[in-house]
């Protein structure tokens, strides 16, 4: 490689690195604005100011406000889905995995991710373009939940316990995911009188999974 080609290559890599850092600053600033102020009040100019860039640069990278917020969701969601997948595929009992999922939720609530997801859900009700982008991300999480429930039901059946036909993995996964989403909205609205009930419901599922673990252990 000639010295001129090497210099061009080094410059290109430097620019690529700068562009990546710029995008990260923009996504981080947009995430903080979404969590603190919500989707409706989101301002590209304020995000640009927080990120230390010209607002035209955000339009260049993301083309629209909706595309920006979906990129924000993806930046966080991919990491969390990978975390959930690793949890479900790891060793350990079903009750231990449930306990880990509860700790993850508390962390996601504190970080603002739960607020971010709820903001985009609400905005999607009146924004078909955003809804088209948002729903596949939500369904990916529900698919993970269904996979975990199928594994638990298979273990229960292998231990000699058969559930009646109405209690399919799809039905039980629906209960789990829809309860969880409802709990998220109640927590975001700070409905304190329901928080104890939520904890009791989560504890009850943990107890059921401990019973399942005991059955599996006996079978083995």
């Amino acid at each position: 490689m000639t010295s001129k080609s090497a210099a061009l290559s080094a410059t290109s890599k430097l620019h690529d690195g700068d562009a990546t850092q710029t995008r990260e600053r923009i996504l981080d600033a947009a995430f903080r604005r979404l969590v603190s102020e919500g989707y409706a009040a989101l301002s590209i100019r304020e995000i640009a100011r927080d990120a230390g860039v010209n607002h035209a640069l955000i339009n260049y990278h993301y083309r629209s406000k909706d595309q920006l917020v979906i990129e924000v969701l993806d930046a966080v969601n991919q990491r969390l889905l990978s975390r959930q997948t690793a949890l479900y595929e790891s060793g350990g009992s079903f009750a231990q995995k449930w306990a880990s999922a509860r700790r993850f939720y508390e962390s996601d609530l504190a970080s603002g991710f739960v607020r971010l997801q709820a903001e985009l859900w609400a905005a999607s009700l009146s924004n078909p373009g955003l809804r088209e982008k948002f729903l596949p991300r939500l369904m990916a999480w529900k698919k993970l939940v269904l996979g975990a429930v199928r594994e638990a039901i298979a273990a229960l059946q292998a231990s000699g316990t058969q559930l009646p036909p109405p209690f399919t993995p799809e039905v039980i996964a629906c209960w789990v995911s829809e309860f969880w989403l409802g709990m998220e909205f109640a927590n975001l609205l700070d409905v304190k009188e329901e928080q104890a009930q939520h904890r009791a419901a989560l504890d009850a599922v943990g107890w059921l999974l401990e019973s399942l673990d005991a059955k599996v252990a006996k079978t083995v």
Side-chain angles (χ1 to χ4, degrees):
M1 180 182 291
T2 65
S3 58
K4 183 177 181 180
S5 297
L8 289 172
S9 176
T11 301
S12 176
K13 290 180 180 179
L14 178 61
H15 288 167
D16 288 344
D18 290 344
T20 298
Q21 292 178 1
T22 298
R23 284 193 293 269
E24 289 175 351
R25 291 204 310 274
I26 293 170
L27 292 176
D28 181 62
F31 176 84
R32 286 186 276 109
R33 285 281 176 179
L34 269 167
V35 169
S36 63
E37 299 177 0
Y39 175 86
L42 196 65
S43 165
I44 296 298
R45 288 186 179 275
E46 290 178 351
I47 292 171
R49 185 186 63 195
D50 293 348
V53 301
N54 188 292
H55 74 275
L57 190 62
I58 297 181
N59 293 328
Y60 170 76
H61 279 298
Y62 300 103
R63 299 186 301 281
S64 69
K65 174 180 170 178
D66 286 352
Q67 185 60 38
L68 171 60
V69 297
I70 287 297
E71 292 280 354
V72 172
L73 177 64
D74 280 345
V76 183
N77 203 36
Q78 288 301 319
R79 183 174 73 251
L80 299 188
L81 285 176
S82 297
R83 180 194 65 185
Q84 293 293 107
T85 301
L87 168 65
Y88 295 147
E89 293 178 351
S90 66
S93 69
F94 290 109
Q96 289 171 339
K97 291 178 181 179
W98 182 253
S100 294
R102 292 181 65 173
R103 289 193 296 271
F104 289 162
Y105 171 66
E106 294 297 332
S107 174
D108 294 343
L109 193 62
S111 72
F113 173 74
V114 174
R115 167 72 187 274
L116 165 67
Q117 184 168 265
E119 284 286 344
L120 297 189
W121 185 317
S124 295
L125 296 177
S126 57
N127 186 331
L130 181 61
R131 182 165 64 245
E132 183 180 357
K133 295 181 176 68
F134 173 71
L135 280 180
R137 276 80 175 173
L138 178 65
M139 298 309 294
W141 170 72
K142 289 190 173 185
K143 185 177 179 180
L144 277 179
V145 173
L146 176 58
V149 171
R150 282 175 171 161
E151 181 185 356
I153 296 301
L156 182 65
Q157 292 176 338
S159 71
T161 301
Q162 299 294 322
L163 292 177
F167 296 97
T168 63
E170 290 75 14
V171 166
I172 297 173
C174 180
W175 288 346
V176 172
S177 60
E178 298 308 320
F179 164 79
W180 207 284
L181 292 171
M183 178 179 65
E184 289 181 352
F185 276 101
N187 279 331
L188 289 173
L189 293 171
D190 199 24
V191 186
K192 296 188 184 305
E193 57 267 27
E194 291 191 359
Q195 291 175 1
Q197 297 173 12
H198 293 155
R199 287 192 295 272
L202 295 172
D203 289 343
V205 174
W207 181 86
L208 287 173
L209 291 175
E210 287 174 359
S211 300
L212 170 58
D213 290 330
K215 286 180 176 290
V216 171
K218 288 181 179 180
T219 303
V220 173

